Amino acid sequence: MVSYRFKYRWVTLVLCLCATARPAYGDEAAKLVKAAIDYWRDVSSYSVTDMTIHRPKWERTMSLRVWTRGEKESLVRVVSPAKDAGNSTLLADNKMWTFSPKINRIIKIPSSMMYQSWMGSDFSNNDIARADDLVHLYTHRLLGTETREGRKVLIVEATPFDSAPVVWGKEVLAIRDDYVLLEHVFYDQDMVLVKKMGTLEVKQMGGKEIAVLQRMQKMDKPDEWTQIFVKEARFGINIPGNTFTLSNLRNPRR
């Protein structure tokens, strides 16, 4: 999932932190957020993820394969069901493209579409693509700490710069003391809570604890949500150099 942002964003998707490089707290809130993003995606990653879109009258699940490398490269490919297989999203050098085998066409996603739904889910293109915006386009403040299930959790508020091209008024993250992201909430410009991503399960996978089950939900549609379940994850792997190319987006080599 869902890339250089499923990485969360598988993604988001899916965020965690590096236990060997723990930053100080308080005025180090920005480092904390970046470390969370870096922890999940690592220097590179590969994951197999199910994404379930739930609506009151229907539900569908797609199986995804996700590759990420560094801050600027990721590839998400749908492998099932058959009618969706081959639909793919590529992120490279801060640009985003999609490919649909039905029309055999690569489409570059313009900035004006970054906040539209990604593959009909409750995630936006921006959620999938631009995790690092949360580091580079925001100021950060540690709001405090909480205890959840016996673990310390740090609450960080991220407020975009006035000139930042983002729609949110602020975002708030809850990061466990072992650097697993437990919650990510989004407020509009009027500071109204719009949507929330919560971690429902944390599990050891790929050599470290990660959020394996996360749900994104819009607050005005409580009966609708999108859930991501990581079935397999590997980190720090070698990925062929041609993985994150338009050629591979259209004609997968793996």
Side-chain angles (χ1 to χ4, degrees):
M1 114 233 324
V2 169
S3 36
Y4 37 91
R5 264 181 204 218
F6 166 85
K7 323 162 181 177
Y8 161 36
R9 251 142 196 189
W10 287 133
V11 179
T12 178
L13 277 163
V14 200
L15 302 175
C16 317
L17 290 179
C18 181
T20 59
R22 297 188 178 194
Y25 299 148
D27 60 358
E28 297 296 319
K31 294 180 180 178
L32 184 67
V33 172
K34 184 169 189 312
I37 296 171
D38 290 344
Y39 176 74
W40 163 252
R41 66 186 170 205
D42 216 302
V43 294
S44 61
S45 70
Y46 167 75
S47 59
V48 179
T49 301
D50 280 350
M51 181 174 76
T52 298
I53 302 171
H54 174 84
R55 298 294 182 260
K57 296 184 178 180
W58 57 267
E59 183 175 288
R60 69 187 180 107
T61 297
M62 291 183 282
S63 183
L64 314 170
R65 299 175 72 187
V66 183
W67 296 262
T68 74
R69 184 170 60 190
E71 297 182 0
K72 297 183 177 180
E73 296 177 308
S74 69
L75 175 67
V76 183
R77 176 165 290 129
V78 179
V79 293
S80 68
K83 66 185 182 69
D84 296 314
N87 287 316
S88 306
T89 300
L90 171 68
L91 299 159
D93 196 24
N94 293 324
K95 298 180 179 64
M96 183 175 189
W97 295 267
T98 63
F99 173 70
S100 170
K102 291 182 179 179
I103 59 175
N104 192 29
R105 183 181 175 192
I106 292 174
I107 298 174
K108 185 177 180 181
I109 304 299
S111 299
S112 60
M113 292 179 62
M114 291 306 292
Y115 287 94
Q116 294 187 8
S117 171
W118 182 73
M119 292 192 180
S121 74
D122 293 293
F123 291 91
S124 68
N125 291 320
N126 198 71
D127 290 332
I128 303 302
R130 293 180 174 172
D132 290 289
D133 286 358
L134 191 60
V135 176
H136 301 302
L137 302 181
Y138 290 68
T139 61
H140 306 83
R141 183 165 64 106
L142 180 64
L143 298 181
T145 61
E146 301 176 357
T147 299
R148 300 185 187 183
E149 299 181 349
R151 302 290 293 266
K152 179 185 286 186
V153 177
L154 296 97
I155 311 301
V156 177
E157 178 185 76
T159 304
F161 298 133
D162 291 341
S163 59
V166 300
V167 300
W168 306 118
K170 69 175 181 180
E171 300 177 37
V172 177
L173 300 95
I175 302 171
R176 209 170 70 173
D177 61 354
D178 62 348
Y179 306 115
V180 173
L181 180 74
L182 298 183
E183 193 172 85
H184 189 172
V185 298
F186 302 77
Y187 293 82
D188 67 13
Q189 300 290 336
D190 297 320
M191 299 304 157
V192 174
L193 179 59
V194 175
K195 65 179 183 178
K196 176 173 68 176
M197 187 178 74
T199 293
L200 306 179
E201 182 180 355
V202 177
K203 187 176 179 180
Q204 187 81 13
M205 189 176 291
K208 56 188 178 183
E209 286 210 329
I210 61 172
V212 296
L213 181 60
Q214 294 181 302
R215 177 179 293 185
M216 180 70 88
Q217 188 164 28
K218 296 176 181 174
M219 307 317 293
D220 63 344
K221 297 178 180 178
D223 295 331
E224 300 183 4
W225 43 262
T226 297
Q227 196 160 280
I228 293 171
F229 177 57
V230 181
K231 300 190 295 184
E232 175 187 351
R234 289 181 273 145
F235 301 96
I237 60 174
N238 292 322
I239 298 177
N242 61 3
T243 299
F244 307 103
T245 61
L246 293 177
S247 174
N248 189 46
L249 179 67
R250 182 191 295 271
N251 299 305
R253 296 173 176 79
R254 52 182 295 172

